[in-house]
């Protein structure tokens, strides 16, 4: 399947490329060093009108398709993966569950401010004892009259320090297993709700990663998202879309590493020749270019299937798995091509290398993707 971008998609690509080069790239190294969240970047993205890019215009969104979303994530990630993951999670994890499963009233109240950039979207699934095994959720929700009382904790949650409301899962009926897990929209300033941002991470330093602690947090009955007992299914469906975002991130990081490596190989002289004249380097660059092209097409195919209303679970898992693994290899080779300079922060590829690793872990590890694919092909 070959993709020719539509006029709208091509315009989004150019707009996001120009924005990434002009507004995101200049401060990326400094943010990585200081761990400063790119608040100013997101104020500018809000003015650009892309914070609700793939959501309906009636809720303040851009009415664009999933391929456009993937393009936006790729272009941001090409220069700063922390910005890329913040944007991707805002839409595919923060906004998507409300868009997919919320009532009209919930969308007006909670999706609209996400689309207009009033605050960032976040999503609480992972727990200290329930990572790949999302069915092992321990957080509980008890109905008391006309309100739910939620207690428990979540970990590795993106964007929660900058969210006013977020969706999360909790067990509403312990006797039903995963069919007893429900989803709720919870305000982050509710009494008993604490957001902690204490993680020391390997990479993605300018991304906000938090713990959530809920101690008898009460929310109105109408804050149930979707049907009671459907939270587990709803969040797994959300992750299918999220994997398109992670795949796009991986393509972006890999493209950034490749671009820097190709440039370096052309200007760096060794033994009287530029590095790009040596076949060993040519082959590394050829493999990078080939794998990035394949990964991008896989991400676009999964996005296209989603836009057509067709099944895309297998394709999203394949795209996320392949893109994240070739991204890690591309960043590894980028460091190698740069030699000793590749190990130094000044040349940026070591930042790409550190940032890339999470993509083989987040939103389902590579092992989980292989499990999903195996089930989809009938194993």
């Amino acid at each position: 399947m070959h993709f020719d971008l539509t006029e709208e998609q091509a315009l989004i690509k150019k707009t996001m490329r120009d924005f990434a080069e002009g507004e995101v790239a200049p401060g990326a190294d400094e943010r990585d060093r200081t761990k400063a969240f790119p608040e100013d970047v997101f104020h500018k993205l809000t003015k650009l009108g892309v914070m609700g890019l793939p959501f309906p215009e009636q809720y303040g969104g851009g009415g664009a398709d999933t391929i456009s979303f993937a393009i936006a994530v790729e272009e941001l990630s090409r220069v700063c993966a922390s910005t890329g993951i913040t944007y991707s999670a805002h839409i595919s994890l923060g906004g998507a569950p409300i868009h997919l499963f919320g009532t009209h009233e919930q969308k007006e109240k909670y999706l609209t401010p996400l689309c207009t950039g009033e605050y960032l979207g976040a999503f609480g699934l992972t727990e200290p004892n329930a990572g790949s095994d999302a069915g092992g959720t321990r957080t509980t929700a008890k109905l008391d009259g006309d309100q739910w009382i939620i207690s428990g904790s979540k970990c590795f949650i993106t964007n929660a320090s900058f969210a006013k409301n977020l969706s999360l899962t909790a067990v509403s009926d312990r006797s039903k297993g995963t069919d007893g897990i429900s989803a709720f929209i919870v305000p982050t300033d509710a009494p008993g709700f604490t957001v902690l941002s204490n993680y020391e991470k390997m990479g993605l330093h300018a991304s906000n990663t938090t713990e959530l602690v809920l101690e008898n947090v009460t929310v109105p009955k109408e804050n149930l998202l979707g049907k009671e007992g459907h939270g587990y299914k709803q969040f797994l469906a959300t992750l299918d879309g999220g994997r398109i975002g992670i795949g796009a991130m991986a393509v972006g990081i890999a493209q950034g590493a490749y671009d820097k490596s190709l440039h370096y190989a052309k200007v760096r002289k060794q033994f009287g020749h530029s590095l790009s004249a040596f076949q060993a380097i040519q082959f590394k660059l050829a493999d990078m270019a080939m794998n990035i092209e394949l990964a991008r097409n896989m991400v676009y195919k999964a996005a296209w299937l989603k836009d057509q209303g067709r099944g895309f679970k297998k394709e999203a898992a394949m795209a996320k798995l392949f893109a994240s693994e070739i991204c890690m290899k591309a960043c590894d080779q980028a460091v190698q091509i740069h030699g000793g300079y590749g190990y130094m922060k000044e040349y940026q590829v070591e930042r790409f290398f550190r940032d890339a690793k999470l993509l083989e872990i987040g939103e389902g590890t590579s092992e989980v993707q292989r499990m999903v694919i195996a089930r989809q092909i009938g194993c």
Side-chain angles (χ1 to χ4, degrees):
M1 182 181 287
H2 177 71
F3 289 95
D4 289 316
L5 297 184
T6 64
E7 275 186 42
E8 184 185 2
Q9 290 163 353
L11 178 61
I12 287 169
K13 187 176 182 73
K14 184 185 185 311
T15 302
M16 294 306 293
R17 171 71 59 96
D18 291 346
F19 181 87
E21 298 279 359
E23 303 290 348
V24 185
D29 289 339
E30 180 67 8
R31 289 191 299 270
D32 178 66
R33 189 180 67 77
T34 62
K35 303 179 173 58
F37 186 78
E39 278 190 81
D40 60 324
V41 168
F42 281 90
H43 288 313
K44 289 171 183 172
L45 282 168
T46 296
K47 287 180 185 169
L48 206 57
V50 296
M51 293 302 282
L53 191 63
F55 297 126
E57 291 175 13
Q58 74 179 108
Y59 302 113
D65 58 11
T66 310
I67 292 174
S68 297
F69 160 67
I71 289 168
V73 172
E74 178 188 336
E75 291 302 329
L76 292 172
S77 303
R78 195 173 71 88
V79 299
C80 175
S82 289
T83 303
I85 197 170
T86 303
Y87 181 78
S88 182
H90 164 74
I91 286 178
S92 65
L93 301 184
I98 298 165
H99 173 238
L100 290 170
F101 308 110
T103 62
H104 172 64
E105 291 73 25
Q106 286 174 332
K107 289 176 189 177
E108 283 199 320
K109 187 173 181 181
Y110 300 110
L111 184 58
T112 302
L114 295 181
C115 290
T116 57
E118 187 183 314
Y119 54 86
L120 291 176
F123 160 101
L125 177 63
T126 303
E127 297 187 4
N129 293 303
S132 294
D133 176 20
T137 298
R138 302 273 179 87
T139 299
T140 60
K142 291 180 180 142
L143 190 59
D144 180 19
D146 61 355
Q147 58 187 20
W148 291 94
I149 302 172
I150 305 172
S151 293
S153 62
K154 302 285 179 179
C155 61
F156 311 142
I157 308 304
T158 303
N159 295 349
S161 297
F162 298 90
K164 287 187 181 172
N165 298 280
L166 53 80
S167 309
L168 55 80
T169 50
V171 179
S172 53
D173 188 340
R174 182 70 66 194
S175 69
K176 292 182 179 175
T178 55
D179 288 335
I181 297 175
S182 300
F184 303 88
I185 301 169
V186 185
T188 54
D189 64 355
F193 196 149
T194 311
V195 179
L196 303 167
S197 180
N198 299 324
Y199 291 120
E200 290 282 327
K201 297 180 294 184
M202 175 182 180
L204 298 168
H205 288 160
S207 161
N208 176 242
T209 311
T210 67
E211 294 175 76
L212 311 179
V213 180
L214 299 94
E215 298 173 274
N216 295 319
V217 174
T218 60
V219 297
K221 197 174 178 181
E222 61 264 25
N223 280 36
L224 177 73
L225 179 62
K227 294 180 182 171
E228 188 177 341
H230 283 222
Y232 179 72
K233 295 188 195 80
Q234 290 168 189
F235 273 40
L236 288 189
T238 300
L239 286 174
D240 288 338
R243 284 165 186 161
I244 294 172
I246 294 289
M249 261 191 81
V251 171
I253 296 171
Q255 184 70 52
Y258 166 78
D259 291 344
K260 291 189 181 301
S261 300
L262 182 61
H263 173 74
Y264 182 82
K266 286 177 176 176
V267 300
R268 173 73 166 161
K269 295 280 195 294
Q270 291 283 272
F271 307 106
H273 300 279
S274 66
L275 281 184
S276 60
F278 295 97
Q279 197 173 60
I281 302 300
Q282 291 173 359
F283 283 7
K284 288 182 191 296
L285 290 164
D287 282 346
M288 288 162 80
M290 172 183 70
N291 284 323
I292 291 166
E293 183 72 15
L294 285 169
R296 183 179 290 112
N297 275 289
M298 292 174 81
V299 170
Y300 284 6
K301 181 182 179 184
W304 180 82
L305 287 169
K306 183 174 186 286
D307 288 331
Q308 300 299 311
R310 291 162 62 174
F312 66 97
K313 181 184 279 285
K314 179 186 74 176
E315 288 78 9
M318 285 179 168
K320 192 269 190 191
L321 173 63
F322 183 76
S324 63
E325 292 194 345
I326 70 98
C327 176
M328 199 65 219
K329 285 176 189 166
C331 293
D332 175 46
Q333 290 303 301
V335 172
Q336 194 72 16
I337 289 167
H338 281 75
Y341 291 112
Y343 207 69
M344 303 299 156
K345 290 190 183 293
E346 180 190 349
Y347 281 77
Q348 299 183 322
V349 287
E350 67 82 37
R351 165 163 65 87
F352 288 46
F353 182 84
R354 286 184 287 107
D355 290 347
K357 184 59 195 172
L358 180 80
L359 307 188
E360 295 183 317
I361 300 167
E363 295 196 38
T365 62
S366 292
E367 292 75 17
V368 165
Q369 303 310 318
R370 288 182 166 90
M371 285 163 54
V372 170
I373 295 163
R375 278 200 297 270
Q376 291 295 306
I377 62 175
C379 288

